[in-house]
Amino acid sequence: MAAEDTASTRLGAGRQHLRPLKRRGLVLLRLTAIVFAVLLFCEFLIYYLVIFRCSWPAVKTPADAGGLGTPEPVLRAMFLADTHLLGAVRGHWLDKLRREWQMERAFQTALWLLQPEVVFILGDVFDEGKWSSSQAWADDVGRFWKIFRHPPHVQLRAVAGNHDIGFHYQMNTYKIKRFEKVFNPERLFSWKGINFVMVNSVALEGDSCDICSGAEAELLEISHRLNCSREHFPLYRRNDANCSGKDAAPPDEKYTPFKERYDALSQEASRKLLWWLRPRLVLSGHTHSACEVLHGAGVLEVSVPSFSWRNRNNPSFIMGSVTPTEYALAKCYLPCEDTVLTTYCTAAGGLVLLTLVHAGLVASPFHFGWNMLRKFKTT
């Protein structure tokens, strides 16, 4: 009997010892599940939830107005700007990882959900193209194609920006050719009867330099075929004072005068473009903020905000439904960076609280609330 009592006592002690281990294992499993769920939401699902709300704008066609004949084909075009892929000099590895993952997930999600036919990037594809070495450039280009990979049936076109080839006093033939080797060098892009002109705004300095003269000659040659225009620098405007919307420039920047040939094209270059090309729509980047401006003869210019969290908290892109005679635009916002950071901070606080409750250092909020309710009832 004594031996049986001893064995029973040891068995009971063993079970009591296993209970805390089992409890700890369950707590660890719960914490791991919460971490996984938060990561899944913030790094994947949030992009689907936000971009799913976007849809292509409807564009009027002759068939809609009761006209006869074959309906005009509608081209679905996606416009984004100022991706600023960080380089080897100013790019901290954590900044690269965070911002480039954000752009990759946003772009790949948009491709899957919206299925555009053509994508335009309106300048400043890279952040350090104006000074990067050959090896650094090759590394940046490799990361770009990983982030903005797309199926063969989707066209991707890019305009050179000042961060890609430098401002007028920095650019040279080598930098321009290097950019054009990665992105198709043709200035005129036509699809479904719609003509797009890709304008190298940096070359429109007006000082008759070799590069500038060549760029102007190209524009004159194709001007009679223009429907729409894409460029990096916005056309001339004094400032962003008349720009509105939640992704416009901050109030403290709106009234800052634009410097010609730096923040916007010169008045002379803007007049030339409008006269030569006679576009029905102009889209530009460079400012990182949204704006809509009506130029002479009612030509609309849309400044597209930056696509990267590095330049703004609420990035976005433009969706365009375009026909040979009409167009319609809509804006698609991406997840806000502060929303993701707030989610992470809230989850981290919850994990710390659960850990403290399990360790017995803090009373469980549920038990605390129940005890307070009981005290209130008894009083």
Side-chain angles (χ1 to χ4, degrees):
M1 291 294 294
E4 292 179 0
D5 292 340
T6 302
S8 176
T9 302
R10 289 178 179 176
L11 183 60
R15 288 176 178 174
Q16 290 179 355
H17 180 69
L18 288 175
R19 285 175 185 171
L21 292 178
K22 185 177 180 181
R23 199 179 308 121
R24 290 173 190 169
L26 289 174
V27 171
L28 183 60
L29 183 62
R30 290 172 183 171
L31 295 179
T32 303
I34 293 173
V35 170
F36 177 77
V38 172
L39 285 172
L40 181 64
F41 174 78
C42 291
E43 305 302 332
F44 289 94
L45 295 182
I46 192 171
Y47 294 96
Y48 289 92
L49 294 174
V50 173
I51 297 177
F52 181 76
R53 297 178 296 181
C54 303
S55 59
W56 292 101
V59 60
K60 293 182 179 180
T61 64
D64 297 329
L68 301 177
T70 305
E72 289 184 318
V74 179
L75 178 66
R76 296 193 304 271
M78 177 176 164
F79 306 93
L80 51 100
D82 297 284
T83 52
H84 282 270
L85 267 72
L86 292 172
V89 178
R90 300 195 304 186
H92 188 275
W93 69 268
L94 183 59
D95 198 5
K96 281 184 181 180
L97 177 66
R98 188 78 197 111
R99 268 52 177 190
E100 291 181 8
W101 175 256
Q102 171 258 325
M103 289 192 290
E104 179 177 354
R105 293 316 318 149
F107 184 75
Q108 296 303 322
T109 304
L111 279 186
W112 191 78
L113 289 176
L114 303 175
Q115 299 184 3
E117 297 170 273
V118 60
V119 178
F120 293 96
I121 303 181
L122 307 181
D124 284 353
V125 179
F126 306 102
D127 193 61
E128 301 178 13
K130 55 187 176 182
W131 63 50
S132 61
S133 64
S134 298
Q135 183 57 52
W137 174 263
D139 293 341
D140 293 346
V141 169
R143 296 196 338 270
F144 171 85
W145 288 122
K146 176 182 177 296
I147 295 169
F148 294 98
R149 60 189 182 277
H150 54 279
H153 65 272
V154 177
Q155 296 277 342
L156 190 147
R157 305 284 164 151
V159 179
N162 58 289
H163 279 266
D164 301 313
I165 60 176
F167 278 108
H168 176 263
Y169 58 88
Q170 295 173 312
M171 71 174 179
N172 54 42
T173 303
Y174 168 74
K175 294 177 185 177
I176 294 175
K177 295 299 182 184
R178 183 171 71 173
F179 184 87
E180 291 178 345
K181 186 177 180 180
V182 178
F183 304 101
N184 199 307
E186 63 179 354
R187 296 284 176 264
L188 181 62
F189 169 66
S190 300
W191 199 356
K192 290 188 175 181
I194 306 160
N195 298 318
F196 300 88
V197 171
M198 319 290 287
V199 181
N200 178 4
S201 309
V202 183
L204 299 181
E205 187 75 8
D207 63 353
S208 299
C209 72
D210 291 341
I211 296 176
C212 299
S213 298
E216 290 190 4
E218 280 187 289
L219 291 176
L220 282 172
E221 184 180 348
I222 62 176
S223 62
H224 65 283
R225 299 180 60 189
L226 178 69
N227 285 120
C228 299
S229 175
R230 313 281 171 267
E231 57 186 302
H232 178 55
F233 281 9
L235 297 176
Y236 174 78
R237 60 178 183 260
R238 292 183 177 180
N239 51 37
D240 274 351
N242 295 322
C243 305
S244 59
K246 61 182 181 180
D247 54 354
D252 59 333
E253 297 179 9
K254 278 190 172 184
Y255 298 93
T256 303
F258 277 3
K259 183 179 178 181
E260 293 187 41
R261 302 180 179 88
Y262 187 84
D263 298 309
L265 288 177
S266 66
Q267 296 186 59
E268 178 186 0
S270 299
R271 283 195 295 266
K272 283 184 178 180
L273 280 177
L274 292 174
W275 174 253
W276 289 342
L277 307 178
R278 301 181 184 273
R280 55 192 171 112
L281 173 65
V282 176
L283 291 107
S284 60
H286 188 62
T287 65
H288 300 173
S289 300
C291 191
E292 293 187 5
V293 181
L294 276 178
H295 296 282
V299 177
L300 175 65
E301 178 188 3
V302 178
S303 289
V304 182
S306 175
F307 192 70
S308 173
W309 275 345
R310 189 168 186 263
N311 298 316
R312 60 181 310 109
N313 174 58
N314 58 338
S316 61
F317 61 89
I318 297 294
M319 303 166 60
S321 300
V322 190
T323 72
T325 57
E326 300 289 342
Y327 68 84
L329 304 178
K331 184 173 293 183
C332 182
Y333 286 96
L334 304 180
C336 293
E337 185 176 26
D338 59 6
T339 300
V340 174
L341 293 177
T342 300
T343 303
Y344 274 129
C345 291
T346 303
L351 291 174
V352 171
L353 181 60
L354 286 175
T355 304
L356 293 176
V357 169
H358 174 70
L361 300 177
V362 176
S364 170
F366 302 104
H367 292 164
F368 178 77
W370 177 251
N371 291 334
M372 291 294 294
L373 182 62
R374 289 178 59 188
K375 289 182 180 179
F376 177 78
K377 286 183 177 181
T378 55
T379 56

